[in-house]
Every structure is written in structure tokens, then in C-alpha cells.
Amino acid sequence: MAKPQPARATEATGRKTARRGLLWLVGLTPVIIGLIVGVLLNGTRPVERLRNIVFDEFQQLAPRPWSPDLPVRIVDIDDASLTRLGQWPWPRQRLAELTNKLIEQGAAVVAYDSLFAEPDRLATREVLSLLPASPERDALQKTLADSGTLDADPLEKAFRDQPVVIGMALTNRPSDVSAPMKTQFVRLGDDPTAALPFFRGMILPLPHLREAAAGMGAINYIPDVDLILRCVPLVFAIGDGPEKTLVPSLAGEALRVAFRTDTPVIKASNASGETNFGGRTSIVAVKIGDAEIPTERDGGVRIRFAGSQPGRVLPVWKILEGGVDRDEIEGRIMLVGSSAAGLSDLRSTPIDSAVPGVEVHAELIEHALTGSRLARPDWMLGAEAIALLIGGLAVAFLARRLPPTLAALAAFLLLCVCVLGSWYLFRYEDLLFDPVIPGASWIATYLGVTFVVYRQSEQEKRFVRGAFQRYLSPSVIEQLAADPSRLKLGGDTREVSILFSDARDFTARAETLDAEGVVRFLNALHTPLTGAVLAERGTIDKYIGDGLMAFWNAPLIVTDHADRACAAALAMQAAIPDIDAVLQAQAEAEGRSHVPLAVGIGLNAGPVFVGNMGSDQRFDYSIVGDPVNVAARLETATKELGVSIVASAAIRAAASAHRFVELGAFALKGKSEPQPLYALHGRQDQLGADFQRFATLHAAVLQGLASGAPDLPERIAAAVATPDGARYLTFYKKISGKIGDGRAIEIEGEKSPGGS
């Protein structure tokens, strides 16, 4: 018989190892999820939002340094200029004057962040059209036409043969895109149009102005979903057909004209020296003159912002009045835009919550000319995945080996190293390493592994609790776990309510069952009865065969212990029909006769000694005292009297929420005086007028029994005829039969539950 033990031990060890392996897999799940998020979800909105929060904070901590020597200035149509020079729009003559002044003072480029898509409403022809028809108006119109000034646009003359760039707008509404661009791009590598921002149409300046200007660029922006501008495109794609037109941005076109080049170069994936790690087409850089500008996959430039700088802005009125030094204009790219409250298109950047759009163009040009770069190369995703995996395994190992506090500190330090490393790469290498996904994965890994360790510890505790619960009640186990000092012999005296139950005819039933069948019967019986006791906060003391002993108000204080004991007894009796139905079905399936199930319950209350009793080697939490013996006698009385639940006077007095039926005074073994006994009838709030009528008739039966009334049979019949009295027919027969034989009823019973 000893041979199977090693096999069972090996099987148990295997199960334990498999369970630990499963728990480790659960703990490392955050690492796996982190890899999936970092690799598969790269570029999705939730991930990008988290990254942008970190990168925006970095920009605010370390903005790009700004210097007055930078070759970019904003010619600002500000509120002061509108006050001095009149409301917008100004006559084209004034803008021509502004252009001429800037060119005369040596501006490298004059770029207008605005559209000239409509005729000047203050032009000569437009003003003449507002005058009433008259010979004088016609004569003036003819004179102006003959002199060639009627249809002349002063801006066209100012733009002609000068380094001037004008704006155009891209739209998703299909339109004629056949107008030739000023810029012809050279493409290296894959076709870039698949990666570039795409539009279907455009709004162009007036033909004579775009023909006169040296350059024309799109003034569009593409903000992120939170409406913050972080990346600004250098090149756009336009058109519905397979052959799309490449359109430069206003800033890119200003750089092209400043460098006096006609063919910027777009360097895409699979160009010489470039590898496409991501598998799809991506833009690597755009080279304009001497400036090679690294870009994102879509050709946008992630700008290292310097923020709004007063030294970058020159008001228009000062330029027109000659109040600006030539050094502020000569050799610089002059961007004409507006910050006036009624004209500016405000934009948000990682540094400023609201700036005029022309400042974004200025920031992009400065970023390109200073050699600044904020790059997130294709290989960065792989680096983040490696960091995530190595850090996750390290966190898992530390969380498994170290105490929780030290493990949390180690995980926090590792997270700090990740964030500081990301900051270092941003600050000194212009690289964007995402600390969010690896860091979040490490935290989740720590929590997951900590949970696994906690689960393992709890499983071990449950194993110990389960072993001791074979001897102690669950509530006692919890108290001992909370206060181990109570694990000693001794106790105290306490008022408790006690319940004994016992199944009828167990011996006869056991004769028809084998050992396994007896065990199945006991399990089927005790499981619901135990549940009824525990549901009312009772403590199971012990099981003896088909008997059960329970008590209330120890070890936990239960103020209404008598009512709870009664409620448990009623619930136990209510469960008997369902238990009996299961037993009958089993008997029929096995082809044997079924013995109907009946259970008797005795209830008593009184002071007992409660605590740990036994020896230093083995003890149990139980109660001792005369009320325990009385409760056992009352359980036996249920069989003698034919009543399912018999209670003592102490229970009747304490259980105010329940109603009882008097049974009379009976001699209990070990008691010198007869003891009044009662049948638990039900909850008081569930009994109505029928019970009151039965109680009156029942009292008449008891009076007739005591006096030997000749109409006793009639009194019994009347009581039994009521809905509440039918259950007492057996009691009436037994009690009247005993009295009729002249014998006193003495209830002996057992000192412990079990046996019939």
C-alpha cells in the first residue's frame, strides 16, 4: 500500500510546478501586451497621445534656443498697424509699398502668409464701378484706360522679378490642379506621394500675381487630434488621378527662393543608404539648397519650438515709416502675417497655447536653418521593444525575489532611468524615445507579478486554513490568523444559543447503503444544513454521524443569537423536502427502496464555557455546560413528541421575532424538575389570523389534556383542522396516548448529537 505514495507526491509536485508556471505566465502577460502595444499599435491615436504628452513636456523644459541673429523675421500686421494705417483689407498699393521697402532694404525673401485669390476691392476699376453713370465717369475711365493704369495691379509690379513667395490653400474639394507649380521636386527612392498628406484641390492666387511671384507655397497646417501643431508638412500631394502633383509648403518655398534653387530633393525609403524598416513608403528627408531637413514618415517636420519671441516680430507700421534698422531686414526671410485680434488664425503649439499661424512658418524655417532635428527613426520602435522586454523581465525577476517595498523601489528607479534616458536623447541627441509604453508595461508587470506572488502566498495560507478547518470553525481560524496569541488552551463564559439536529431512522437507512452510499447521504444532508447555519452567522461545532451541533454568539458577538438560531432551524427544515427529493431520485436510480427523510432539531440558550479545549497536542474550539446537554435532550424530544423543532423556555424568551407553541412540561434526564418545552412555529411577521385561531384551539387541547376533558377528541380535531394545526396531529396522538396509559413522558436522549 506504500508504493502509490511517491507517484502521488510526484503528481502533486507536477501540479504545483504547472500552477507556478501558469502564474508566471499571468505575471509576464503585461510584458507581452506591452510588446503588442509598442509594435502593433505604434502610430495609433491612444499611443501617440501618450507619447505627445511626454514630448511636449520635454519641449517646455528645453525649448530651442533663439537668437536675434537667426535669419527669419515676421512682418506683423498687428492691431497698432491697423490703427495707424486703416482697417483691413488694405489697398494693394500699400502692400506693394511694403514689398518694395523690404526688397530695397535687402530682404532675401518676402513671403506672404495670405491668399490673393480675389481682385482688390479698392482697385481703380472697382472704385469706378461704384460711381453713378455719367459722362464724367466715362471720360475718366477712358483716360485711365488709355494711360494703362485702369487694370494695373501694383502688387504685380512689386512682385515681378523679385524674391517674393505668395500663399495658396489646399482643399479636399476637387478643383482644377493643372496650374503649373513654381517648384519641381527631384525624387530619390520610393514614390513619395503615397506617404505625403493628400488633398484633392487648391485655391490659387490671381493668375497675374502667381505668374509674377518667384514662388508659391501652401499655407495649410495639419494639427494633431488635440489641435496642437507638432509636425508641419514641407510637401503636399494634390490631385485625383494616379499622377499627383507635389506642392511645397509656404515655409519650404521661402527656403527654396532664399537658396536660389529650383529643384528641392525628396529623399524617401529605399534611396541610396536608406532602409525601409517599417515596410511601407516613408519620407526620410527633404533637401532644399544647403539645408537637408529630416522628416517624419509623411514628410512632416517635428519642430523643436523656441516659442514666441518679441525680437522676431517687426510691426508693419514701423517698416513703412522707416523705423526699423536695415540690419533687421537685410539678408533675412521676411514672413508677412497678422497677429491682429480680428485677422489672425491662432494655432496651438507644445509651448504656446495660442500663436499666429505665421509664427509656425517662422519656427519651421528657424528649425531647418539651425540644423535642429527631432527625429523618431524607424529603428526607434525596435529599440523601445528591446527596452520593454529587458526591463519587463528585470522587473518581473525583482518583484519575484525582493520584498514588495524593495521591488516597488527598484521598479520605480528603473522607470526613472527610462524617463531620464528619454530626456537625455531628446536634449542632447534630438531623438524621440518613447518612455510611456515601456514604462507602463513595467508598472503593469510589477503589479502582475506582485499579484502572482500574493496569490501564491494566499494559496499557501488557504491550504493551511483548509487543513485546520477540519478541526476548527472558519471564524476561529480567521481570529487565530489575526491574533496567533489566542492559540492556547482556555476560554471564557458566554451566553449562547445552541442547536442540535439529527436525522431520523439513520440506522435503518444505513443498512441499505454501502460505505460510499452512506458518505454520499451525509454530504447531501450536511451541506445545505450547514449552509443554513452559516447564513445566520452560526458556528459549526461538530458533526457526529448524521447529527450536527452549532452555536451562536461565539466566537463572534451576535446580539440577536436566539432569533438567528431559530431562523437557521426553520431554514434547515425548509431544505428537507429538496434534500429528500434528491435522495429519492438516487434510490430509484439504484433500484432500492427510499426511506423518507425527517430531521429533528433542538434549541436551547444559556451560559456556557467557550474556548479552546483539549491538550497541547490537539484541541478544539467548542462549548461546555449544562445548556449543551439540555439542547441535546430537546433534539431527542422531537422524536418523542412528534414535533420537528423543540425549543426551551430560554429560547422562547430571547427570540422575540419568532412565535412558539407550548407543548407542556416534561421531565428531562438530569433535571430534577419538569421543563416547559415549546415548538418553534415560525417568524412572527409571517403569521396571521389563522395562527391566532389555532393558538386558541391548541390551548384548549392542552387544557383538556390536563383536566381529562371528555371532549378532548373533538378539541384535537378542531385544532388539527386549522391550516397551522395539521402539523401537530402526531404530537396530539402521542401525548394523549401516553396520558391515557397513565405513563409520564421522560426524555432521556444523548449527551451529543447522532444516533437514533
Side-chain angles (χ1 to χ4, degrees):
M1 296 299 292
K3 291 183 178 180
Q5 293 179 1
R8 287 196 299 269
T10 302
E11 182 181 355
T13 303
R15 286 197 302 268
K16 185 176 182 180
T17 302
R19 185 167 56 251
R20 286 184 176 178
L22 179 60
L23 291 176
W24 265 106
L25 179 61
V26 173
L28 292 178
T29 297
V31 180
I32 301 172
I33 294 176
L35 284 173
I36 295 174
V37 170
V39 177
L40 298 183
L41 300 185
N42 181 52
T44 59
R45 286 186 179 181
V47 174
E48 288 299 321
R49 285 180 180 178
L50 292 174
R51 286 175 178 159
N52 287 334
I53 290 174
V54 176
F55 296 152
D56 289 352
E57 289 296 325
F58 287 174
Q59 290 235 42
Q60 293 182 25
L61 291 173
R64 174 175 53 81
W66 185 85
S67 169
D69 296 331
L70 289 172
V72 180
R73 291 293 184 267
I74 294 174
V75 180
D76 188 13
I77 305 173
D78 59 357
D79 288 308
S81 297
L82 295 179
T83 300
R84 290 170 177 264
L85 303 176
Q87 67 179 10
W88 187 264
W90 289 338
R92 295 279 170 85
Q93 181 61 45
R94 182 165 296 151
L95 294 177
E97 180 185 355
L98 174 64
T99 303
N100 291 331
K101 278 188 173 292
L102 293 173
I103 297 298
E104 289 170 2
Q105 296 187 56
V109 176
V110 177
Y112 280 90
D113 182 23
S114 60
L115 289 174
F116 295 105
E118 298 176 353
D120 182 8
R121 66 179 180 87
L122 299 178
T124 303
R125 182 179 292 279
E126 296 297 324
V127 173
L128 287 175
S129 67
L130 299 177
L131 298 176
S134 65
E136 292 80 4
R137 188 198 70 174
D138 295 340
L140 177 60
Q141 183 171 346
K142 183 177 184 305
T143 301
L144 293 173
D146 293 340
S147 64
T149 59
L150 180 63
D151 295 316
D153 189 336
L155 269 184
E156 180 182 3
K157 183 178 180 180
F159 288 177
R160 181 75 59 185
D161 299 326
Q162 300 297 337
V164 175
V165 176
I166 57 177
M168 57 182 291
L170 305 182
T171 175
N172 280 318
R173 294 182 179 179
S175 63
D176 181 16
V177 295
S178 60
M181 294 294 107
K182 299 283 184 177
T183 306
Q184 299 299 319
F185 288 92
V186 175
R187 311 179 188 189
L188 298 180
D190 296 333
D191 181 9
T193 57
L196 293 173
F198 169 70
F199 291 86
R200 289 186 170 82
M202 55 186 174
I203 301 174
L204 295 170
L206 295 172
H208 65 279
L209 293 180
R210 67 172 182 260
E211 190 276 332
M216 183 171 60
I219 61 176
N220 296 68
Y221 301 101
I222 303 178
D224 291 334
V225 292
D226 55 3
L227 301 182
I228 295 178
L229 280 170
R230 298 180 180 91
C231 294
V232 178
L234 274 176
V235 187
F236 301 88
I238 187 171
D240 281 327
E243 294 296 329
K244 294 181 173 56
T245 302
L246 299 183
V247 177
S249 69
L250 182 70
E253 189 73 341
L255 284 171
R256 182 189 68 80
V257 174
F259 281 115
R260 303 297 190 264
T261 182
D262 293 329
T263 54
V265 178
I266 298 180
K267 197 174 184 180
S269 53
N270 294 319
S272 176
E274 300 295 339
T275 303
N276 187 15
F277 291 97
R280 55 191 173 94
T281 301
S282 62
I283 312 298
V284 178
V286 175
K287 190 175 187 299
I288 304 175
D290 296 334
E292 183 167 332
I293 310 167
T295 68
E296 300 288 296
R297 302 180 67 93
D298 62 354
V301 178
R302 186 180 285 266
I303 301 176
R304 182 80 173 268
F305 286 89
S308 295
Q309 302 292 335
R312 184 192 284 147
V313 180
L314 304 175
V316 169
W317 69 269
K318 279 191 177 183
I319 296 174
L320 292 178
E321 293 182 4
V324 177
D325 293 339
R326 183 182 181 90
D327 291 342
E328 289 291 311
I329 299 175
E330 188 173 13
R332 302 182 192 272
I333 297 175
M334 310 301 292
L335 299 174
V336 183
S338 176
S339 66
L343 302 181
S344 62
D345 56 335
L346 297 180
R347 306 289 176 173
S348 296
T349 70
I351 295 180
D352 298 301
S353 59
V355 295
V358 68
E359 285 207 25
V360 179
H361 294 303
E363 293 267 21
L364 173 55
I365 296 173
E366 290 177 352
H367 174 94
L369 294 179
T370 57
S372 299
R373 60 190 299 272
L374 280 181
R376 185 170 165 78
D378 288 337
W379 54 262
M380 188 62 75
L381 179 61
E384 292 166 357
I386 293 173
L388 187 154
L389 180 61
I390 295 176
L393 294 175
V395 169
F397 177 81
L398 294 173
R400 184 70 179 86
R401 297 295 180 181
L402 296 179
T405 303
L406 291 179
L409 179 61
F412 175 75
L413 292 177
L414 186 60
L415 180 61
C416 290
V417 170
C418 180
V419 175
L420 291 176
S422 176
W423 163 253
Y424 175 85
L425 292 175
F426 170 86
R427 182 70 177 83
Y428 299 103
E429 302 296 333
D430 294 325
L431 293 174
L432 297 175
F433 177 87
D434 172 27
V436 174
I437 299 302
S441 175
W442 297 345
I443 294 174
T445 300
Y446 168 77
L447 296 176
V449 175
T450 301
F451 172 75
V452 169
V453 174
Y454 171 78
R455 286 280 298 171
Q456 288 179 337
S457 175
E458 284 299 306
Q459 285 181 347
E460 293 172 357
K461 290 180 180 179
R462 281 199 297 271
F463 174 78
V464 174
R465 287 190 179 106
F468 277 97
Q469 281 174 353
R470 301 178 184 180
Y471 311 105
L472 304 176
S473 66
S475 57
V476 176
I477 293 294
E478 296 302 326
Q479 287 195 349
L480 292 178
D483 184 10
S485 64
R486 301 185 62 178
L487 196 62
K488 60 183 181 180
L489 298 179
D492 56 5
T493 301
R494 185 177 296 181
E495 186 81 16
V496 300
S497 292
I498 309 157
L499 180 149
F500 276 87
S501 73
D502 189 46
R504 297 286 168 258
D505 301 320
F506 176 69
T507 302
R509 185 188 302 274
E511 290 177 352
T512 65
L513 300 172
D514 56 14
E516 184 179 354
V518 172
V519 172
R520 286 201 308 269
F521 164 74
L522 293 178
N523 290 340
L525 174 67
H526 287 316
T527 298
L529 300 189
T530 299
V533 171
L534 297 181
E536 294 296 335
R537 300 179 62 188
T539 299
I540 300 295
D541 185 287
K542 60 177 67 71
Y543 302 101
I544 302 179
D546 60 330
L548 177 152
M549 174 183 172
F551 53 87
W552 280 259
N553 204 35
L556 304 178
I557 299 298
V558 181
T559 56
D560 56 342
H561 54 86
D563 276 311
R564 288 189 174 273
C566 292
L570 292 172
M572 292 168 72
Q573 288 295 340
I576 297 303
D578 292 336
I579 301 173
D580 188 56
V582 173
L583 296 176
Q584 183 176 0
Q586 292 177 353
E588 292 176 354
E590 296 172 5
R592 53 181 173 80
S593 60
H594 171 63
V595 179
L597 177 65
V599 172
I601 299 175
L603 296 171
N604 189 29
V608 299
F609 183 83
V610 56
N612 298 317
M613 287 165 274
S615 67
D616 290 334
Q617 292 78 26
R618 167 72 185 275
F619 57 83
D620 194 6
Y621 187 85
S622 187
I623 58 176
V624 173
D626 184 63
V628 180
N629 296 330
V630 171
R633 304 283 191 274
L634 298 184
E635 180 275 314
T636 303
T638 61
K639 179 173 62 175
E640 297 291 339
L641 300 178
V643 178
S644 59
I645 305 176
V646 174
S648 66
I651 285 288
R652 178 178 180 272
S656 58
H658 291 80
R659 295 295 297 272
F660 299 83
V661 171
E662 183 181 358
L663 300 177
F666 299 90
L668 301 181
K669 187 175 182 179
K671 289 293 183 180
S672 58
E673 299 292 335
Q675 302 294 312
L677 302 184
Y678 301 87
L680 174 61
H681 195 84
R683 286 188 56 87
Q684 184 164 268
D685 55 4
Q686 296 176 354
L687 302 177
D690 289 340
F691 174 75
Q692 295 297 333
R693 186 162 62 90
F694 160 71
T696 301
L697 296 173
H698 178 75
V701 172
L702 294 183
Q703 182 182 9
L705 287 170
S707 61
D711 61 343
L712 180 60
E714 288 78 6
R715 297 186 184 189
I716 292 175
V720 171
T722 64
D724 292 288
R727 70 179 79 170
Y728 295 97
L729 177 60
T730 302
F731 166 72
Y732 293 147
K733 289 182 177 180
K734 286 196 173 188
I735 199 71
S736 60
K738 294 286 186 180
I739 294 176
D741 295 340
R743 293 179 291 151
I745 297 178
E746 181 179 5
I747 300 172
E748 297 185 0
E750 304 289 338
K751 292 186 178 179
S752 60
S756 298

